[in-house]
Amino acid sequence: KASIALNGAHLLSWKPEGEEEGLWLSAATSFKKGAAIRGGVPICWPWFGPAAQPGLPAHGFARNQQWTLKAHNEDDNGAVLTFELQANEETRALWPHDFTLFARFRLGERCEIELEAHGDYQATCALHSYFCVADINEVEVSGLGQHFIDKVKDGEPGDSADGKQRYDGRVDRIYTQPDDCSLIHDKAGQRVIEVYHHHHSDVVTWNPGVELSCSMGDMANDGYQTMVCVETARINAPMKSAVEQPARLATTFRVRKKR
């Protein structure tokens, strides 16, 4: 089972057959039209992180826009849905480019998401995936590579000897030389979530920790305890679209239960 909101072409839920929920969604999110949804898989585009100018939305505007369902197909392996977003007066006021975006979801035993961007520009972006975990204190993510930018420490560069991340407080890091697959070891939940990255340059991992979680209006005070973000991204090497050559960013999830 899965559900997708037209607001942001936002994947809210994905449950592989015989498995528990794979994605984390905040019970405190508002679901107001035009407002960002906390959890699931937001599409951050055409910029990632804070906006360059005051008054512009963080993580771009794609996650706040109403997308259109363009195609829907089903077979024995699952469903494929395609959503479209085109430039409009509202987006041009925020970002002066014409564009067409397609978001494709292949939903079944695996979850595949592809963002395809048409136009003539460059953009930073991320598939900002929130995953369910049983206890963040018992989570380890591997396959991230050695080098990272630590956003908690104002962009200070750092190194990880083993390419692994643990969460004993607030974590917000951009790993700049990641493997093509990250593994979320959900030890308390007795499962591993495989996160494959395609057409990426970076992988972001985030958990707000207790203090930031308590300050966020769209997250419960203890929300940080059962979620972790592992995000396929193009940040340090922006995606470049040309008229005849669209840019892509994609990710694939699979849940593997420990026996």
Side-chain angles (χ1 to χ4, degrees), residues 204-217:
V204 179
T205 186
W206 179 69
N207 180 278
V210 59
E211 292 184 5
L212 184 57
S213 187
C214 288
S215 71
M216 297 168 66

Side-chain angles (χ1 to χ4, degrees), residues 14-95:
W14 168 65
K15 294 182 180 181
E17 186 175 359
E19 296 289 345
E20 298 175 355
E21 176 62 61
L23 301 176
W24 181 91
L25 183 66
S26 174
T29 199
S30 69
F31 291 105
K32 291 181 180 179
K33 184 177 180 179
I37 296 168
R38 175 69 63 188
V41 186
I43 296 174
C44 301
W45 188 93
W47 58 83
F48 178 84
Q53 301 176 18
L56 298 181
H59 288 318
F61 52 74
R63 65 181 184 153
N64 301 330
Q65 288 282 314
Q66 295 294 300
W67 293 56
T68 302
L69 177 64
K70 299 298 288 186
H72 169 213
N73 299 287
E74 291 188 31
D75 58 25
D76 292 340
N77 296 316
V80 179
L81 293 92
T82 301
F83 297 83
E84 181 187 60
L85 177 66
Q86 293 188 351
N88 54 58
E89 290 185 7
E90 186 177 347
T91 67
R92 291 188 188 97
L94 301 172
W95 192 63

Side-chain angles (χ1 to χ4, degrees), residues 142-146 162-163 177-182 195-197 200 203:
S142 61
L144 294 170
Q146 290 189 328
D162 57 6
Q177 297 178 352
D179 295 344
D180 291 337
C181 178
S182 303
V195 186
Y196 296 89
H197 314 288
H200 65 297
V203 170

Side-chain angles (χ1 to χ4, degrees), residues 4 8-9 11 41 43 45 67 80-84 100-107 111-118 125-127 129 196-199 232 239 246-253:
I4 302 174
L11 182 62
V41 186
I43 296 174
W45 188 93
W67 293 56
V80 179
L81 293 92
T82 301
F83 297 83
E84 181 187 60
T100 299
L101 293 183
F102 294 102
R104 297 186 183 90
F105 299 85
R106 297 173 178 87
L107 303 164
C111 173
E112 302 176 34
I113 306 171
E114 181 185 55
L115 179 67
E116 181 180 298
H118 294 254
C125 56
L127 300 171
S129 312
Y196 296 89
H197 314 288
H198 316 289
H199 313 294
T232 304
M239 66 192 314
R248 290 179 171 84
L249 183 67
T251 188
T252 303
F253 313 143

Side-chain angles (χ1 to χ4, degrees), residues 81-252:
L81 293 92
T82 301
F83 297 83
E84 181 187 60
L85 177 66
Q86 293 188 351
N88 54 58
E89 290 185 7
E90 186 177 347
T91 67
R92 291 188 188 97
L94 301 172
W95 192 63
H97 296 281
D98 287 326
F99 66 86
T100 299
L101 293 183
F102 294 102
R104 297 186 183 90
F105 299 85
R106 297 173 178 87
L107 303 164
E109 181 182 352
R110 297 188 180 201
C111 173
E112 302 176 34
I113 306 171
E114 181 185 55
L115 179 67
E116 181 180 298
H118 294 254
D120 190 6
Y121 49 79
Q122 69 176 29
T124 57
C125 56
L127 300 171
H128 195 323
S129 312
Y130 291 71
F131 295 98
C132 272
V133 295
D135 181 357
I136 191 62
N137 296 302
E138 297 293 325
V139 168
E140 178 181 271
V141 178
S142 61
L144 294 170
Q146 290 189 328
H147 305 295
F148 62 83
I149 297 168
D150 195 333
K151 295 175 69 180
V152 174
K153 296 182 178 179
D154 298 321
E156 179 180 311
D159 291 285
S160 170
D162 57 6
K164 297 178 180 178
Q165 180 67 61
R166 300 162 190 86
Y167 304 83
D168 56 0
R170 182 184 173 192
V171 171
D172 192 354
R173 291 179 174 178
I174 302 171
Y175 280 84
T176 58
Q177 297 178 352
D179 295 344
D180 291 337
C181 178
S182 303
L183 299 178
I184 302 172
H185 302 270
D186 180 11
K187 299 176 184 178
Q190 291 293 300
R191 65 180 185 173
V192 174
I193 303 173
E194 301 171 356
V195 186
Y196 296 89
H197 314 288
H198 316 289
H199 313 294
H200 65 297
S201 62
D202 313 273
V203 170
V204 179
T205 186
W206 179 69
N207 180 278
V210 59
E211 292 184 5
L212 184 57
S213 187
C214 288
S215 71
M216 297 168 66
D218 58 358
M219 180 182 284
N221 290 350
D222 60 354
Y224 73 97
Q225 295 179 349
T226 55
M227 56 74 64
V228 66
C229 287
V230 178
E231 312 165 32
T232 304
R234 291 291 298 266
I235 301 169
N236 291 293
M239 66 192 314
K240 296 181 180 180
S241 304
V243 174
E244 299 298 328
Q245 187 173 2
R248 290 179 171 84
L249 183 67
T251 188
T252 303

